Amino acid sequence: EFRDMLRANKAGYQVGEIDRFEKDGLVLRDGSRLQADLVVYATGFAKSYDMFDASVVQPFLEEQKDGLYLYRNMIPPRL
């Protein structure tokens, strides 16, 4: 839905570091003031399993194409 709204110019986005929030929006570190009803933090987070030995542990993680599913973010006890 967000992408559709961007294409239709019903929503917009701005990349930058937030300096502070104000009553009707926010101010970026470069001094730009933006009016905003909603702010979405998009950090660019990416999962990595490099901490696990690639030849011994990683094959047992049963990693899916889109990530690793862990019950309550716990590593399976068999590892």
Side-chain angles (χ1 to χ4, degrees), residues 12-53:
Y13 70 93
Q14 178 74 36
V15 177
E17 295 178 55
I18 298 172
D19 183 55
R20 67 183 180 276
F21 287 95
E22 295 185 336
K23 185 176 182 177
D24 62 347
L26 56 103
V27 178
L28 298 178
R29 290 206 187 228
D30 67 3
S32 303
R33 294 183 180 279
L34 303 171
Q35 288 186 329
D37 297 320
L38 174 72
V39 176
V40 177
Y41 288 96
T43 63
F45 173 79
K47 292 181 181 180
S48 172
Y49 308 106
D50 294 340
M51 67 186 110
F52 300 111
D53 185 279

Side-chain angles (χ1 to χ4, degrees), residues 45-49 51-52 61 66-77 79:
F45 173 79
K47 292 181 181 180
S48 172
Y49 308 106
M51 67 186 110
F52 300 111
L61 290 176
D66 60 345
L68 177 63
Y69 296 98
L70 300 174
Y71 176 73
R72 295 191 177 201
N73 293 315
M74 295 186 297
I75 303 299
L79 300 177

